[in-house]
Amino acid sequence: MSTPGLSSAGSGGAFSGFTRLCKGLAVVLVGGHIVVQVLPPALNYLALIPARTIPFAWNLITAGYIEQSIHGMALSALGLLFIGKLLEPVWGSREFFKFIFVINFLTSVCVFITAIALYYITTQENYLYFPLSGFHGVLSGFLVGIKQIIPDQEFPGLKIKAKWFPSLSLLFSTAVCIFTSETTTILPTLIFGTYTSWIYLRYWQRKPETKLKGDPSDDFAFSTFFPEFLRPVIDPIATIFHRLLCGRSEAFNDAEGYTLGGAPLPGSDPIEASRRRERGARALEERLATERLAALRSSEESQGDANENV
């Protein structure tokens, strides 16, 4: 099914149609930034500071919603609003909020463990007391969601398919961190946000229509984050981690992990993955059509008012 390019989203009502949930979470991001600017000591209780996470365990949740810089806050809020317009209609509001909460928490836990490990390896106390926060882990997870539902959608101008967004984001962030030491604290959050999002969507996300979990399609395998020539090397490594981290002794070959009595369960084969992508593309198309219609009506009303004034 052919779908409109993402460039269409930039025309007409591009700044309309934001969901209520996304607007509410954007307000939380803006409010969190204002709080730590007006009350700087609040950062010690809301950001992730590994040495203080025990007993302040709530910062594993709150840290993801605290942006310390105004440009970080603006990027996170805009990313949430625009990407949320694509993902929430496909997943539903409840699943979309669950995804944000789970990925934010898992990313914070992974960053906390990494900081503790680095402290014991290097004995540098800055790993324990540097305040870590930001929504960028969830944003990187959103890119994984886009990769799953509309992988062949092209980015306007650059002609880059959506399936490469997570990989290019990590590559660009790594390159920036090499030349800018101030951004090195962001990279682990992006990496863990990407990986935990893939794990969640690959193994845990429940499909209401099939009552099954995950996306076993080959098009969403871990090796698809890498160029074609690297996949023969990545696949065996991914299989090892698949067995260690996910507690499964078999890989997803021909949906063998989703069989009952030798017969594949409904929605566990590539057909289900194709249907999910069709739903994502259809939701995007309906959203763009609604925005174009709203823009056209607004233009006609404005022209009618102008004619009446004349």
Side-chain angles (χ1 to χ4, degrees):
M1 181 180 67
S2 61
T3 59
L6 289 175
S7 57
S8 301
S11 61
F15 291 92
S16 63
F18 301 127
T19 66
R20 294 173 61 183
L21 175 58
C22 288
K23 288 189 285 188
L25 290 175
V27 171
V28 171
L29 293 176
V30 175
H33 174 71
I34 293 175
V35 167
V36 296
Q37 296 302 312
V38 175
L39 300 172
L43 188 66
N44 297 326
Y45 299 94
L46 298 177
L48 176 60
I49 301 178
R52 298 177 179 175
T53 299
I54 300 174
F56 300 157
W58 61 78
N59 60 33
L60 291 172
I61 297 175
T62 59
Y65 307 102
I66 301 299
E67 288 289 353
Q68 300 181 42
S69 64
I70 188 170
H71 58 272
M73 179 270 294
L75 178 63
S76 295
L78 291 175
L80 170 63
L81 291 172
F82 282 97
I83 301 179
K85 285 204 300 183
L86 301 179
L87 296 180
E88 187 177 343
V90 179
W91 291 347
S93 298
R94 182 176 180 179
E95 176 59 32
F96 182 70
F97 179 76
K98 179 182 176 183
F99 176 85
I100 292 175
F101 181 85
V102 171
I103 300 309
N104 174 57
F105 177 73
L106 291 179
T107 300
S108 295
V109 170
C110 291
V111 170
F112 168 75
I113 295 174
T114 301
I116 297 297
L118 289 174
Y119 166 71
Y120 280 108
I121 293 172
T122 65
T123 67
Q124 296 183 20
E125 292 189 353
N126 60 309
Y127 289 114
L128 294 181
Y129 294 99
F130 190 86
L132 304 168
S133 65
F135 197 67
H136 34 277
V138 177
L139 289 182
S140 63
F142 285 166
L143 297 182
V144 178
I146 291 178
K147 171 185 172 69
Q148 182 194 40
I149 64 173
I150 47 174
D152 296 323
Q153 198 74 36
E154 289 188 344
F155 190 76
L158 299 178
K159 299 298 181 182
I160 298 175
K161 291 186 176 181
K163 63 183 179 181
W164 295 115
F165 286 1
S167 305
L168 292 176
S169 172
L170 289 179
L171 182 63
F172 175 77
S173 300
T174 303
V176 171
C177 288
I178 293 175
F179 300 102
T180 310
S181 59
E182 290 80 3
T183 60
T184 53
T185 57
I186 298 177
L187 186 59
T189 305
L190 294 175
I191 294 174
F192 289 127
T194 299
Y195 188 58
T196 56
S197 298
W198 176 78
I199 289 179
Y200 178 85
L201 296 175
R202 179 74 165 173
Y203 300 108
W204 298 340
Q205 188 182 52
R206 184 175 295 277
K207 306 296 186 298
E209 65 274 12
T210 63
K211 305 301 182 183
L212 298 176
K213 292 182 179 180
D215 180 357
S217 64
D218 292 337
D219 293 335
F220 197 56
F222 183 71
S223 59
T224 61
F225 287 82
F226 299 86
E228 195 80 32
F229 69 92
L230 290 177
R231 293 178 187 178
V233 179
I234 298 299
D235 278 329
I237 300 175
T239 300
I240 294 174
F241 279 93
H242 162 73
R243 293 174 179 175
L244 291 176
L245 299 179
C246 302
R248 305 194 182 191
S249 59
E250 75 282 359
F252 283 109
N253 292 323
D254 299 323
E256 290 178 1
Y258 288 81
T259 59
L260 180 62
L265 291 174
S268 63
D269 56 5
I271 295 178
E272 172 60 28
S274 177
R275 290 173 180 170
R276 182 165 45 252
R277 295 188 182 93
E278 288 180 2
R279 289 195 299 271
R282 191 181 305 117
L284 174 61
E285 187 174 353
E286 292 173 354
R287 173 74 64 179
L288 296 177
T290 301
E291 292 178 353
R292 287 195 294 268
L293 181 60
L296 180 61
R297 289 178 177 175
S298 177
S299 177
E300 291 176 350
E301 290 176 357
S302 299
Q303 185 176 1
D305 293 341
N307 292 336
E308 291 179 359
N309 292 334
V310 173

